[in-house]
Amino acid sequence: MAVIGAGAAGLSAARRLARAGVALVVLEARDRIGGRAHTVAHEGMPIDLGCGWLHSADQNVLCRLGRDAGFTIDETPPPWRQQAFNLGITAEEQARFGEAWAAFDQRVTEAAKAGDDRPAAHLFDPDERWNARMDAISGALNGAKFAEVSTLDYDAYEDTGVNYRVTEGYGTLIASLGEDVPVVLNCPVERIDRSGARLTIETARGVIEARSAILTLPTSVLASEAVRFDPPLPDLVEAAAGAPLGLATKLHMAVEGAEDFPADSQLWGRTDTAQTGGYHLRPFGRPIIEGYFGGDLAWGLEAQGEAAFFDFACSELAHLLGSRFPGRLRVLSTSMWGAEPWSRGAYSHVLPGLGDRETGARAGLARPIEDRIFIAGEATSRGFYGTCHGAWMEGERAAVEAITALGIDPRLSAPGAR
């Protein structure tokens, strides 16, 4: 069995296959495991370039796995609904924005119940002053503005509202969970020949044959046909194109005099445009600011290069905190997931008209091919798309499908089975 991709889905699938006694190898294009869960160290601080929050943490399987592995799960609530010092927006205005958001969310829910799969932005109240701010939030949630997001798919997301973090880094946790998985690094897959009884998988490091494969590549990679199939799989490519990766880019900056700000507080740069960033002040109480840029803004800044993010952040923060404030900042890291060839984006959203549970893009992605090619990743998750734990659960799902296709009873290797 070949597992293609050593992100959360690939590692989860490999662990499940190994428990079932299936001989396997994981092929990873990067020089590391973890995919879009990636922690780097700067000045002794673990910094997550990719996913950072354990969403729906009260139901998130990675919370339990993290605690069992000895990781520290920080339960400090996120600061997303507040603006530090009420800068640029009064408390009353924040409350009115919350009301506008709730009303929009309810309209989306009602449209989804009616089966109305339109661009979510069509449900904006045209007279609402907060529409641009809501699109800025969509950049963070979806990596794209609401005009590009299906009402059905957006409404299908399951969120308990509980969000925790991993003190040592989410990427560190995922890499730790994959330590015993047999992975070949620096091994991008270029072509899969499915014309014979066995799959012939051509990689940059040679050719292997496998009875079946679990494919955990991002949708933007699949849609670009960076991996070629012979015979081609146009339905898979079409489904992947229907659930493209949006973009969210993180900029981490060290800040002098960090004690001026409350730990784990938040600033949004502007309230009148979607072209604005979110700034998490002192995450974990550390002397840093984590900037977050989504959607069109992130794509535009990435096209200009890493320095453009710092320039943009300095401009916004100077407007809020004074012209001298940027002199207290220096760059630690910038994620560039859109430019990274093995990702080509951050996380998926489904285009309007393709959000149906049974016939839409995510359903098409998750459908097994010939009972020997199985697809998994955050983009195949119906309720937890865009999340690491959604990818992890989907890897498990695809592994069970593959185990069953091999004629092995998956119950014998289920967690807790004896």
Side-chain angles (χ1 to χ4, degrees):
M1 171 79 70
V3 177
I4 301 172
L11 297 176
S12 173
R15 285 164 50 111
R16 188 69 172 83
L17 292 169
R19 287 203 305 270
V22 176
L24 71 120
V25 64
V26 181
L27 308 174
E28 170 55 48
R30 299 180 180 89
D31 60 0
R32 59 173 182 82
I33 64 175
R36 285 164 278 167
H38 184 35
T39 305
V40 296
H42 284 287
E43 301 177 10
M45 297 178 290
I47 289 175
D48 278 313
L49 296 184
C51 51
W53 289 92
L54 292 152
H55 296 298
S56 299
D58 51 339
Q59 299 179 5
N60 189 321
V61 62
L62 292 170
C63 276
R64 176 182 58 79
L65 291 174
R67 287 188 172 112
D68 290 348
F71 283 79
T72 308
I73 306 301
D74 184 280
E75 299 185 9
T76 303
W80 304 324
R81 296 181 183 273
Q82 292 137 13
Q83 179 85 342
F85 311 114
N86 295 328
L87 287 174
I89 180 171
T90 67
E92 183 181 359
E93 287 174 322
Q94 291 175 60
R96 286 203 295 267
F97 171 73
E99 293 168 359
W101 179 271
F104 165 71
D105 205 50
Q106 182 60 34
R107 291 193 294 272
V108 171
T109 297
E110 292 170 358
K113 285 181 179 178
D116 187 359
D117 191 7
R118 66 170 82 178
H122 285 189
L123 296 168
F124 281 163
D125 179 345
D127 298 322
E128 179 57 68
R129 65 166 287 195
W130 299 110
N131 289 340
R133 182 171 171 80
M134 287 193 279
D135 248 345
I137 302 298
S138 182
L141 295 177
N142 304 300
K145 56 190 176 184
F146 275 125
E148 301 167 0
V149 174
S150 156
T151 51
L152 286 184
D153 191 66
Y154 180 70
D155 184 69
Y157 184 75
E158 300 173 22
D159 182 15
T160 68
V162 180
N163 298 278
Y164 299 158
R165 291 170 296 176
V166 184
T167 302
E168 297 85 356
Y170 209 146
T172 304
L173 167 60
I174 298 302
S176 173
L177 294 175
E179 283 180 350
D180 297 328
V181 171
V183 181
V184 180
L185 299 175
N186 300 303
C187 189
V189 172
E190 299 168 345
R191 177 175 173 268
I192 298 176
D193 185 340
R194 59 190 188 91
S195 61
R198 295 173 65 85
L199 299 173
T200 301
I201 302 173
E202 299 177 5
T203 81
R205 300 184 62 176
V207 178
I208 68 169
E209 289 189 350
R211 182 172 173 181
S212 53
I214 296 177
L215 197 62
T216 69
L217 301 178
T219 54
S220 292
V221 173
L222 289 173
S224 71
E225 299 188 77
V227 176
R228 293 179 291 110
F229 289 90
D230 289 317
L233 292 172
D235 289 347
L236 175 61
V237 173
E238 182 180 359
L245 295 196
L247 185 59
T249 301
K250 290 182 176 181
L251 166 69
H252 290 91
M253 300 168 285
V255 56
E256 293 181 12
E259 62 277 4
D260 289 347
F261 306 102
D264 282 304
S265 55
Q266 177 84 14
L267 288 174
W268 278 94
R270 295 179 61 180
T271 63
D272 60 347
T273 177
Q275 303 294 299
T276 189
Y279 302 92
H280 189 162
L281 311 177
R282 296 183 61 201
F284 296 99
R286 296 165 182 159
I288 62 176
I289 295 175
E290 180 183 80
Y292 203 88
F293 311 88
D296 292 344
L297 173 62
W299 287 113
L301 292 175
E302 274 210 8
Q304 298 175 53
E306 291 188 32
F309 286 97
F310 185 61
D311 290 344
F312 186 88
C314 286
S315 176
E316 289 211 299
L317 292 173
H319 175 73
L320 291 170
L321 299 168
S323 59
R324 294 185 180 181
F325 184 74
R328 297 167 57 178
L329 301 173
R330 57 188 170 82
V331 176
L332 295 176
S333 63
T334 309
S335 69
M336 298 283 282
W337 294 110
E340 206 240 29
W342 315 122
S343 295
R344 305 190 187 194
Y347 37 76
S348 66
H349 61 281
V350 166
L351 299 178
L354 298 174
D356 186 84
R357 179 181 292 272
E358 303 299 328
T359 63
R362 296 197 195 279
L365 281 169
R367 192 171 297 121
I369 299 165
E370 300 172 338
D371 258 354
R372 59 176 181 162
I373 298 176
F374 307 89
I375 317 295
E378 57 85 12
T380 63
S381 176
R382 180 64 179 169
F384 300 115
Y385 58 83
T387 71
C388 190
H389 75 284
W392 188 270
M393 294 166 66
E394 285 297 289
E396 177 97 3
R397 184 266 308 159
V400 169
E401 290 179 347
I403 291 166
T404 302
L406 291 172
I408 302 170
D409 187 343
R411 294 173 296 180
L412 299 178
S413 56
R418 296 183 178 181

